[in-house]
Amino acid sequence: MTHREPDFRPAAPADAEAVTALVNERELLDRGATEATAALIGGQWTTPDIEIAADGLVGEVDGRIVCGALATRDREYVYVATEHEGRGLGTRLRDWVMTRSAARGAVHHLQIVGAGNTAAAALLQAAGYERVRAFHR
């Protein structure tokens, strides 16, 4: 099956529900449960220190958001739909989010990765990330 390259664009508040679905897909695989809601994601995007059109990026294929990223001053978020993993989207978004976070004044980069997501952990380690701590729920 051939997969199209996503069309990237700035994130918008209306994308919160689709991005929540990506977050929950990954959390379900990594932890067996989900916590994210569109209200939580949308609320994060509207805090005073986030300008979602500049700090968020989404990729669409046929009108469906299949990946996304958010850069803040203290943390980065990258999500890729499972059927689009292994195609370089995580690397592209990791690089974008690190650049955007640095432009916002970040000195260190932080991402949360589920223990079972070894591909994401390797991707981050390749960019110089180090495991700092682990949480168990």
Side-chain angles (χ1 to χ4, degrees):
M1 177 182 217
T2 303
H3 291 275
R4 285 190 35 227
E5 176 76 13
D7 295 317
F8 287 91
R9 63 169 174 78
D15 299 325
E17 192 168 318
V19 170
T20 301
L22 288 176
V23 172
N24 284 334
E25 177 185 31
R26 187 76 250 169
E27 285 190 352
L28 196 57
L29 288 170
D30 291 344
R31 300 186 311 110
T34 63
E35 293 179 354
T37 65
L40 178 73
I41 300 286
Q44 180 185 32
W45 288 4
T46 58
T47 59
D49 66 326
I50 299 291
E51 184 182 336
I52 194 59
D55 300 327
L57 185 70
V58 295
E60 292 180 310
V61 173
D62 297 328
R64 178 178 171 248
I65 293 176
V66 298
C67 59
L70 176 68
T72 72
R73 285 189 187 100
D74 64 351
R75 186 168 299 166
E76 291 98 13
Y77 301 88
V78 172
Y79 301 102
V80 177
T82 55
E83 72 271 17
H84 289 270
E85 290 176 350
R87 297 188 181 97
L89 297 176
T91 300
R92 185 171 177 178
L93 290 171
R94 177 205 65 200
D95 294 348
W96 178 87
V97 83
M98 288 177 70
T99 299
R100 180 65 190 147
S101 289
R104 297 195 70 214
V107 177
H108 302 289
H109 300 282
L110 173 69
Q111 287 195 38
I112 298 171
V113 177
N117 194 348
T118 57
L123 182 78
L124 294 174
Q125 288 172 345
Y129 282 74
E130 296 177 7
R131 183 176 173 177
V132 176
R133 67 184 104 147
F135 296 96
H136 300 279
R137 293 186 190 182

